[in-house]
Amino acid sequence: MLAARLCTMKKLSSVLARTLTSGTSGSLSLPDMSEGHLPIHVNNVRSRLRDIVGASTNWRDHVQAMQERKALHTLLAKRQEDLPPKRMKDSYLEVILPLGSQPEIREKYLNVHNSVRFGRILEDLDSLGVLICYTHTKQEAQPRSPLSIVTALVDKINLCKKIIYPDCDIKFTGNVSWVGRTSMEVKMHMLQLHDGDYSPVLDATFVMVARDPENKRPAFVNPLIPESPEEEEIFKQGEFNKTKRIDFSTASLLKMAPTAEERNIVHDIFLNTLDTRMVSFRSRVLPPNSMWMEDAKLKSLQICHPQERNIFNRIFGGFLMRKAFELGWATACSCGGSRPFIVSVDDIMFQRPVEVGSLLLLSAQVCYTEKNYIQVRVHSEVYDADTREHQTTNIFHFTFISGKEVPRVVPKTYGESMLYLDGKRHFTATIKEI
């Protein structure tokens, strides 16, 4: 039994090891930008962000701090052409998470399996992505930035390691890889120290948007100038990623009917679950090694306290990602019956900000399974107790792999069938990269 378990774990490692090299950056050669850059301690990232925008560390002062930012409107560029172009290496940053050399910080990152909590890594990536964008848009004559830079989208996070060790130093690197007029794509990489060398753990692509000092209207950002053939390819990949996102959104099942092939899939599922003893469309029977979709979901409620606020006094996007991931992980665990490992995160849309004091409702649904893989969708919404209205804030998509084959999830209703097809689309896109 132990030998079989070890064999399964080796297969999991083999699958995950192929992910990073074929992720969002594909086979692109990454230029070395590390020369002359001193690493930043992970604990200093948030404090640097506060200094850049003039945010207060005291919640009682947040209203006054935001009022003071209104005066920065005069520093905004009226045209992108008025801003100096920047190079990719101008925004390059390195951040060290010294889990090995500073054991006192491990507790925050440790999970019950004696590995690193991936939700904490999501928080660090989100903060780093914003700091990279502020570095790209930095104007030497401005002590404080007039821009409000926030996360719009997590395009993709691909992992090549099954386990992140809690007693080895971690290094994050990243830079702006593509720029539009008011948006920036950031590519980040995470590596972990083993035997004196840093080895890749994950590859992440985030999209950030710049807004005015009050976070109300779009604001222009510095254009980006590629300096080498490798950087040209990275920039072109950013353009491709943008086009791909538009195409994926246009074909959304919330806007367009399923394809002919997808309609056949749904109808086949319906026929396979009909009770042959009854001449009825309503009588359904669960096939062997399957579970109804309605039985493969979990929910949670979070009260959004000031402690979880970002530099603009709204709830930190990294906190939302951590909570969504942990609920998604628990849902995958209960569905698969064993510890799941994260393979990929994709297409996290930040549709509206979450205010401090909100009631945050998270709903995780296993919407597709195949062999050892579990595709989980987490829906996030805020509830206004005064108006009793619900508003969607985020949609999260996670791909997990289990140590054993998992039951097939089966939809009953048309709405569940659309969730099933949407999950299948996300899973197929992830597997193509693997």
Side-chain angles (χ1 to χ4, degrees), residues 19 26 35 62 76 106 109 111 116 129 135 146 165 226 271 273 278 285 308 329:
T19 308
E35 184 178 351
H62 75 280
L76 291 174
R106 287 181 197 162
Y109 288 86
N111 66 24
V116 170
T135 305
Y165 297 98
L271 293 177
T273 58
M278 306 285 290
V285 176
E308 308 301 342
W329 183 92

Side-chain angles (χ1 to χ4, degrees), residues 50-66:
R50 282 194 293 268
D51 292 341
I52 288 170
V53 302
S56 173
T57 56
N58 192 330
W59 167 245
R60 290 175 299 179
D61 300 333
H62 75 280
V63 174
Q64 179 183 345
M66 297 312 291

Side-chain angles (χ1 to χ4, degrees), residues 151-283:
T151 306
L153 170 74
V154 178
D155 186 64
K156 180 70 72 174
I157 303 174
N158 283 337
L159 288 91
C160 67
K161 297 289 186 184
K162 178 171 59 70
I163 293 175
I164 306 171
Y165 297 98
D167 54 357
C168 299
D169 285 0
I170 286 173
K171 178 168 69 173
F172 299 95
T173 67
N175 61 276
V176 171
S177 54
W178 174 87
V179 168
R181 295 181 66 79
T182 63
S183 61
M184 294 163 280
E185 181 189 88
V186 178
K187 285 198 179 296
M188 292 174 284
H189 311 279
M190 174 177 149
L191 307 97
Q192 189 159 40
L193 188 64
H194 293 290
D195 301 323
D197 292 320
Y198 280 100
S199 58
V201 176
L202 64 79
D203 165 39
T205 303
F206 283 46
V207 177
M208 310 291 183
V209 293
R211 302 178 71 79
D212 66 16
E214 297 178 82
N215 199 8
K216 292 181 177 179
R217 295 180 181 84
F220 294 115
V221 298
N222 302 67
L224 183 65
I225 304 294
E227 289 190 305
S228 67
E230 292 87 359
E231 291 186 2
E232 289 279 1
E233 287 300 314
I234 292 171
F235 192 87
K236 287 178 183 177
Q237 181 69 43
E239 286 283 359
F240 174 76
N241 290 341
K242 178 185 177 183
T243 302
K244 186 173 65 173
R245 287 191 293 268
I246 293 172
D247 292 343
F248 202 87
S249 174
T250 301
S252 168
L253 292 166
L254 293 171
K255 301 175 183 177
M256 302 284 290
T259 65
E261 180 184 358
E262 289 173 333
R263 291 196 295 271
N264 287 335
I265 290 173
V266 169
H267 194 65
D268 286 343
I269 291 173
F270 173 73
L271 293 177
N272 290 334
T273 58
L274 282 180
D275 188 346
T276 55
R277 299 169 302 174
M278 306 285 290
V279 186
S280 170
F281 287 109
R282 292 187 176 183
S283 184

Side-chain angles (χ1 to χ4, degrees), residues 85-148:
K86 296 292 187 75
R87 303 167 297 177
M88 288 189 185
K89 64 183 179 182
D90 291 334
S91 61
Y92 177 85
L93 292 178
E94 289 187 8
V95 171
I96 294 295
L97 172 56
L99 296 176
S101 52
Q102 294 183 12
E104 64 272 15
I105 68 174
R106 287 181 197 162
E107 189 82 7
K108 175 183 174 182
Y109 288 86
L110 194 64
N111 66 24
V112 71
H113 301 288
N114 198 35
S115 59
V116 170
R117 295 170 63 183
F118 184 67
R120 291 295 188 193
I121 299 301
L122 290 175
E123 290 183 326
D124 291 339
L125 286 171
D126 192 46
S127 294
L128 175 59
V130 175
L131 183 58
I132 287 170
C133 289
Y134 273 117
T135 305
H136 173 81
T137 58
K138 182 180 179 182
Q139 308 294 331
E140 295 298 334
Q142 298 175 357
R144 289 185 180 177
S145 174
L147 299 177
S148 300

